[in-house]
Amino acid sequence: MAAATRALRSSSFPSTFTTNFIRRSLSTAVSSAAAPLKSESFTPFIDTKGKNVQWVFLGCPGVGKGTFASRLSVLLGVPHIATGDLVREELSSSGPLSKQLTEIVNQGKLVSDEIVISLLSKRLETGEAKGESGFILDGFPRTVRQAEILDDVTDIDLVVNLKLPEKVLVEKCLGRRICSQCGKNFNVANINVKGENGNPDISMDPLLPPPQCVSKLITRSDDTEAIVRERLSVYYEKSQPVEDFYRSQRKLIEFDLPGGVLESWPKLLEALNLDENEDKQSAAV
Ligand SMILES: Nc1ncnc2c1ncn2[C@@H]1O[C@H](COP(=O)(O)OP(=O)(O)O)[C@@H](O)[C@H]1O
């Protein structure tokens, strides 16, 4: 891990970010065919004391990046920034990109690096104006090119790669519901998946909404089985090489989720050597 985490520089980061991005020639983009690296056994050094972490959450659609990144952001006092949320905000606005984004998202494809970086830069700029520093990124970077651009402008301390079997991912996406009023996420799926190849069984109880949300539940338009399967195949092709990118930098922690949130959360904290009862932690794993 880079010991000296560079804080996001209030005035220069977003513009540097964008400028670097524009300067980069498309021909230098690394293709998703990057050679997979051998998995090594090591644990990154985790030090969260006295600084605002710059972490990234990777993982397939439906794995729970949003849930765990959001909980950790509260614990560590840094913003949780999900590029999927930024894309959805943009497509539900009446802005010029709205129609184009709706089409892309509803086909399960990735939005262009240009658009997503512009949305992220704006979000970081707004946060900096409010005094935010540090972040937990969820859903970014999703291509090696995005990872390289991020690497050019700031140091990422740690990358958490959440994992679940594909069958569970599909069931979770199909069971996902959002309260259109309070914005909270729920899940109506009752998951019991037999472990294969020596892996443990996975059970997850539904995460049901309180009575006041029941009549306001909506399903994401891209959470249909066909689109979920397309998103998964896009993940394997474009985003899995990002795991290798960070693995080679020895920043990647792999975390196989053992079950639902209640079961997984304490184990994730343990893997990150964090203690929920303290505000900020210092730890060497
Ligand atoms: N970093 C990104 N690069 C390109 N497209 C993105 C990125 N983040 C989000 N998107 C777009 O927004 C959609 C929803 O993203 P997200 O909520 O993160 O979904 P998922 O459940 O698939 O992880 C994606 O399918 C993609 O079209």
Side-chain angles (χ1 to χ4, degrees), residues 174-209:
L174 298 184
R176 190 150 59 178
R177 300 289 180 273
I178 302 151
C179 173
S180 55
Q181 190 162 341
C182 71
K184 286 206 177 113
N185 281 281
F186 303 100
N187 207 302
V188 296
N190 192 351
I191 297 173
N192 283 296
V193 170
K194 271 243 149 291
E196 284 168 12
N197 308 322
N199 291 316
D201 298 351
I202 296 205
S203 301
M204 293 187 193
D205 291 334
L207 189 60
L208 296 173

Side-chain angles (χ1 to χ4, degrees), residues 82-93 105 178 220 222:
T83 46
D85 289 345
L86 302 181
V87 168
R88 278 184 291 278
E89 269 166 39
E90 188 66 29
L91 69 79
S92 64
S93 74
V105 170
I178 302 151
R220 263 170 59 173
D222 58 345

